[in-house]
């Protein structure tokens, strides 16, 4: 019995580590960020209506207003409720993605915005950056981008992660975009606020 316990004590930590590693390898890491110098820089903020619709019909869709500013060093997106209350500000630069606190308590925030900052930053990049900038960022990594029937297709190791319609070789910031995210199991509709339906 003592021998069995000794063997278990020595084997269990290794099994736990291996299990953790296998879990990590089954889901893709966050894609490399494109060069901020290739961002669609604008002096004005871009205001978009962001509608998150889960694949799971039981969960409700969420609509937020994103006030997005891009420059040569970072992406900042203030995320507001349709009534104008600021939930958080997403800050994404070459080092990290993070949420800066807004006007709501943390528990309410987790229900209103159950998306990690790196996930949301990547999806905004996939939708806003020019295709050639994304292609350059993905070179040498397991990620790729292709245009298929006017749709941007983002893949990780050949597996489709997201489809973005319409696609363009330049950032289509004035048009509505539908991002079908198979990894996150969400559809993200990004549309100019003035063109959004009520």
């Amino acid at each position: 019995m003592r021998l069995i316990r000794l063997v278990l004590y020595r084997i269990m930590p290794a099994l736990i580590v291996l299990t953790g590693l296998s879990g990590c390898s089954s889901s893709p890491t966050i894609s490399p960020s494109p060069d901020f110098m290739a961002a669609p820089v604008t002096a004005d903020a871009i205001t978009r209506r962001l509608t998150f619709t889960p694949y799971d019909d039981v969960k409700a869709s969420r609509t937020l207003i994103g006030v997005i500013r891009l420059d040569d060093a970072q992406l900042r997106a203030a995320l507001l409720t349709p009534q104008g209350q600021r939930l958080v500000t997403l800050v994404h630069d070459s080092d990290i993605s993070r949420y800066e606190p807004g006007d709501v308590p943390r528990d309410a925030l987790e229900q209103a915005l159950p998306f990690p900052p790196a996930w949301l930053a990547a999806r905004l990049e996939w939708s806003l950056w020019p295709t050639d900038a994304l292609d350059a960022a993905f070179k040498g990594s397991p990620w790729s981008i292709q245009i298929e029937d006017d749709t941007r297709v983002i893949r990780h190791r050949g597996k489709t992660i997201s489809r973005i319609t319409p696609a363009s070789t330049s950032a289509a910031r004035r048009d509505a975009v539908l991002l079908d995210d198979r990894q996150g199991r969400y559809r993200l509709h990004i549309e100019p606020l003035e063109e959004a339906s009520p």
Side-chain angles (χ1 to χ4, degrees), residues 49-53 61-64 187-191:
R49 179 169 291 181
L50 310 174
T51 303
F52 301 87
T53 305
S61 293
R62 292 179 176 85
T63 298
L64 300 175
R187 290 181 183 88
L188 171 56
H189 195 191
I190 304 173
E191 56 188 331

Side-chain angles (χ1 to χ4, degrees), residues 54 62 119 146:
R62 292 179 176 85
W119 180 89
Q146 274 121 20

Side-chain angles (χ1 to χ4, degrees), residues 31-36 71-76 90-98 100 117-118 121 125 129:
S31 64
S33 283
D35 187 345
F36 278 94
D71 60 33
D72 60 1
Q74 66 177 206
L75 175 151
R76 293 181 66 87
L90 169 68
V91 180
H92 173 68
D93 56 33
S94 57
D95 296 324
I96 195 167
S97 301
R98 65 190 180 280
E100 293 180 349
E125 286 179 339
W129 256 254

Side-chain angles (χ1 to χ4, degrees), residues 33-56:
S33 283
D35 187 345
F36 278 94
M37 296 300 287
V41 177
T42 176
D44 301 321
I46 303 165
T47 303
R48 293 288 181 265
R49 179 169 291 181
L50 310 174
T51 303
F52 301 87
T53 305
Y55 280 12
D56 183 353

Side-chain angles (χ1 to χ4, degrees), residues 97-111:
S97 301
R98 65 190 180 280
Y99 287 136
E100 293 180 349
D103 303 325
V104 298
R106 180 170 292 277
D107 57 342
L109 173 62
E110 289 173 359
Q111 290 183 3

Side-chain angles (χ1 to χ4, degrees), residues 38 128-134 145 147 150-152 166-172:
L128 296 174
W129 256 254
T131 305
D132 55 354
L134 293 168
I145 179 170
I147 304 298
D150 294 330
T151 297
R152 289 184 179 191
S168 174
T169 54
S170 61

Side-chain angles (χ1 to χ4, degrees), residues 114-191:
F115 318 108
W119 180 89
L120 183 54
R123 274 61 188 174
L124 291 176
E125 286 179 339
W126 297 349
S127 303
L128 296 174
W129 256 254
T131 305
D132 55 354
L134 293 168
D135 189 47
F138 294 169
K139 281 213 184 314
S141 81
W143 292 85
S144 66
I145 179 170
Q146 274 121 20
I147 304 298
E148 297 176 359
D149 298 325
D150 294 330
T151 297
R152 289 184 179 191
V153 182
I154 308 290
R155 291 189 173 95
H156 180 266
R157 299 192 190 282
K159 178 181 178 182
T160 298
I161 299 299
S162 189
R163 298 178 65 85
I164 304 154
T165 307
S168 174
T169 54
S170 61
R173 295 195 322 251
R174 297 297 304 166
D175 298 328
V177 173
L178 177 62
L179 185 145
D180 184 4
D181 191 292
R182 297 179 182 183
Q183 178 190 8
R185 299 186 59 76
Y186 269 90
R187 290 181 183 88
L188 171 56
H189 195 191
I190 304 173
E191 56 188 331

Side-chain angles (χ1 to χ4, degrees), residues 13-29:
L15 288 175
I16 290 169
V17 169
L18 287 173
T19 302
L21 290 174
S22 66
C24 291
S25 64
S26 64
S27 62
T29 57

